[in-house]
Amino acid sequence: MTRETVREAIFNRRMLICIGTGFASGMPLYVLIQLVPAWLRSENVSLATIGLFSLIGFPYTWKFLWAPLMERYRLPLLGRRRGWMLVMQVLLMISIAAVGMFDPEFNIWTIAVLCFAVAFFSASQDIVLDAFRREILPDRELGLGNSFHANAYRVSGLIPGSLSLILSDHLPWDQVFQITAAFMLVGILMTLLVNEPRHPGERPKTLGEAIVLPFVEFFNRNGVNHALLVLAFMFLYKLGDNMATALATPYYLDMGYTNTDIGIVAKNAGLWPAVIGGFLGGMLMVRIGINKCLWIFGVIQIISIFGFMILSEANGDRVGTPGFEPSLWLLAIVIAFEYLGVGLGTAAFLAFIARTTSKLHTATQLALFTALTSLPRTFANASTGYLVEGMGWTNFYLLCAALAVPGMLLLFVVAPWHKNPELETGTDASEHPETGGVEAKAESKPQSR
C-alpha cells in the first residue's frame, strides 16, 4: 500500500460517514451512564436506586434477539438500513428529551421506563448503524473506518459527560436534556444525506430465514471447527484487558489517589490517548493489514497491564504512611499507556469482527458478534472484586496478563501474521461502489443484488 493510498483512505466520504455513525451511536449510551446518574444524584436519589438503573442497559447485550426483525422487514422510507436508522434516531431524540421532564422524587419509575426506552432505541440503532457501516466499507478500509467510528463514539461522551453537566449549573434539568437530545440531529442529518448501500443479497423471505441463515452462512463459510475458534477468539482477545480496567477507579483510590486526582488525570490522560491510538491504529491497518495489527496491538495491551503492576508495587506498601504523596506523573503514564493500548486494540478488534461478517447478513451477525464480545466485560465486572480480595492487586494484574495470552495464541489460527485478505486482492468480494454519493438501486431491482 502506498502513502497516497493511505491518504485517499483517510480523506474520503466513507470516513466522514463513520464519524457520524460513531457520534450517533455513542451519545445515547453516555446519556445513560454519565448524565442520568449525575442528575439523579443531584436530586437526592439514593445510590442504591441509581445502581439499579444499570439494569436498563440489557438491550445492548441482547440486541441480537430482534436484529433478525430489522434484517427481514424494511420500513417504507429511505431504504433497508436508512429507514430504521432515521426512525430510531427520531425516537432517541424524543425519549432523551422526555427523560428530564419528570421529577425523580415522584416519577422515578417513569424515568426508569424512559431510560429503558433510550437503551432499546440506542441498541436498535446500533444494529443498523453497524450493518450500514460494514456495507459501505470495502475490506481494506475496515480498520480505518472502524477506528474513526470508535473515536467519534468516545468523543461523543463529552456532550452528556461534560457540556450537559456544565449547563446543569445554569439551566433547569428539563432544558439540559432537551439540548442534549438535540445533538441527535447529527445522526439524523447524516442519515438524510447519505445513500442506501447496495446490498449483495436479497432480504430474507421469512423471519425464520432471517434467524437461521446468518448461522448457517457463518459455519458453512468457515467450517465448524474454525468458526468455533473464531468465536473463542472474539471472547478471549480482550478478556485480560477488560478485567484489568474493570476496577480501575477503586484501584487508583487504593493506591492513595484522591477523587480529584483521578478526575483530573484520568479525564486528560485517558480519553485522548485512546483517540490517538484508535486513529494511528486505523492508519497502520491500511498499510500492513488487520492481522498484523492484531498481533502488535495485542502485545501492547499485555504490556499496558504490567503498568498497573508497576503502580501497585510503587504505591501499595506506602499508602497511608506519613508524608506519602503518590506520583501523579506515574498515574498519568499508566493511564495514558493503558488507554493507548485500548484505542489500538479496539480499532483492530472491531475491524476483525467486521471482516468476519458476511455482507449478506450484516445486521444479525454483527449483533451476535458484538454481544459475544460484551460477555468478557460482564464476566470481569462480576468476578474481579472477589479475585482482588483473594490475591491482592499485583497478583491480580499478573493473572490479567496471563488471561490475555490464550487470545493471542488463537491468532496463529484465526489471523496469521502473513495473511491479510483485505490487502491481498485490493477489494473484497462483496465490495460495491457506495461512497455515500452513489444511489443504491438494489432494493428496487432485486436481480441486481
Side-chain angles (χ1 to χ4, degrees):
M1 304 296 286
T2 66
R3 187 178 302 274
E4 182 178 6
T5 302
V6 175
R7 189 182 307 115
E8 289 175 353
I10 295 173
F11 296 104
N12 69 55
R13 197 178 181 188
R14 289 184 294 272
M15 297 303 113
L16 188 61
I17 294 172
C18 289
I19 293 174
T21 66
F23 187 92
S25 179
M27 215 274 292
L29 174 65
Y30 286 109
V31 168
L32 295 175
I33 66 176
Q34 292 183 333
L35 182 59
V36 169
W39 170 51
L40 295 179
R41 192 56 180 160
S42 71
E43 298 294 320
N44 298 315
V45 175
S46 70
L47 290 175
T49 301
I50 295 174
L52 290 175
F53 266 69
S54 63
L55 297 176
I56 64 177
F58 96 89
Y60 291 103
T61 302
W62 296 94
K63 61 186 178 182
F64 65 90
L65 292 177
W66 61 92
L69 289 170
M70 305 180 80
E71 190 80 88
R72 166 66 181 91
Y73 298 105
R74 170 186 168 178
L75 297 179
L77 72 164
L78 296 183
R80 184 172 172 182
R81 303 299 182 207
R82 294 168 61 233
W84 283 111
M85 286 161 56
L86 179 64
V87 168
M88 293 303 154
Q89 288 160 354
V90 171
L91 289 174
L92 277 168
M93 185 167 63
I94 294 171
S95 57
I96 292 172
V99 169
M101 296 179 180
F102 296 89
D103 188 338
E105 183 178 356
F106 303 104
N107 306 106
I108 192 65
W109 286 108
T110 302
I111 293 170
V113 170
L114 285 170
C115 287
F116 179 84
V118 172
F120 179 81
F121 297 144
S122 177
S124 301
Q125 180 196 219
D126 288 349
I127 293 171
V128 282
L129 284 181
D130 290 344
F132 178 85
R133 193 171 65 257
R134 175 65 181 102
E135 289 165 352
I136 69 169
L137 290 175
D139 278 8
R140 64 177 179 272
E141 293 179 2
L142 285 175
L144 191 62
N146 279 283
S147 70
F148 272 83
H149 171 87
N151 282 345
Y153 192 104
R154 295 187 185 98
V155 172
S156 71
L158 294 176
I159 303 301
S162 181
L163 175 63
S164 299
L165 294 179
I166 294 171
L167 291 175
S168 68
D169 285 335
H170 307 281
L171 297 173
W173 277 105
D174 59 337
Q175 294 183 25
V176 171
F177 276 92
Q178 291 165 15
I179 293 172
T180 305
F183 280 90
M184 284 307 303
L185 289 170
V186 174
I188 292 173
L189 185 63
M190 177 207 69
T191 299
L192 294 174
L193 291 178
V194 301
N195 295 295
E196 183 76 5
R198 294 180 179 175
H199 303 285
E202 296 185 28
R203 286 184 295 123
K205 295 181 175 61
T206 66
L207 184 57
E209 283 189 1
I211 296 172
V212 174
L213 289 181
F215 291 94
V216 173
E217 189 280 333
F218 175 68
F219 282 98
N220 284 345
R221 171 163 46 95
N222 293 280
V224 174
N225 291 336
H226 187 76
L228 291 176
L229 290 174
V230 170
L231 295 176
F233 169 75
M234 290 182 182
F235 180 86
L236 293 171
Y237 185 68
K238 299 285 289 183
L239 176 60
D241 188 62
N242 284 331
M243 288 187 66
T245 56
L247 292 176
T249 300
Y251 167 69
Y252 300 142
L253 291 171
D254 283 0
M255 293 302 103
Y257 298 99
T258 67
N259 285 326
T260 300
D261 294 336
I262 298 168
I264 294 175
V265 175
K267 195 72 172 182
N268 294 284
L271 174 63
W272 300 114
V275 170
I276 293 170
F279 183 71
L280 292 178
M283 288 195 298
L284 191 58
M285 277 183 276
V286 174
R287 297 297 298 270
I288 68 175
I290 295 171
N291 287 11
K292 290 181 180 179
C293 285
L294 284 169
W295 283 88
I296 296 170
F297 302 161
V299 171
I300 293 175
Q301 283 183 163
I302 294 176
I303 294 174
S304 70
I305 295 175
F306 286 97
F308 290 110
M309 295 176 59
I310 294 172
L311 186 62
S312 178
E313 289 297 300
N315 290 11
D317 294 335
R318 302 171 62 193
V319 175
T321 59
F324 172 64
E325 292 289 339
S327 171
L328 292 179
W329 283 107
L330 182 58
L331 176 65
I333 292 171
V334 169
I335 291 177
F337 192 74
E338 165 62 23
Y339 277 87
L340 178 67
V342 167
L344 291 168
T346 299
F349 192 44
L350 289 175
F352 174 84
I353 293 172
R355 190 183 67 187
T356 304
T357 304
S358 167
K359 286 188 176 181
L360 296 173
H361 309 285
T362 47
T364 301
Q365 286 187 353
L366 275 172
L368 284 165
F369 294 155
T370 53
L372 177 64
T373 60
S374 71
L375 289 179
R377 188 178 303 110
T378 303
F379 170 76
N381 290 340
S383 63
T384 49
Y386 296 101
L387 292 172
V388 172
E389 289 181 355
M391 63 178 58
W393 286 111
T394 299
N395 290 331
F396 168 71
Y397 285 117
L398 185 61
L399 174 64
C400 292
L403 290 175
V405 173
M408 292 294 298
L409 294 177
L410 283 172
L411 286 172
F412 283 105
V413 179
V414 303
W417 175 268
H418 292 294
K419 186 177 181 181
N420 286 281
E422 71 277 5
L423 300 184
E424 292 170 1
T425 61
T427 60
D428 60 297
S430 57
E431 182 181 344
H432 50 77
E434 158 65 25
T435 63
V438 179
E439 292 293 341
K441 302 176 181 177
E443 289 296 331
S444 59
K445 297 183 180 181
Q447 70 274 16
S448 67
R449 300 182 212 169

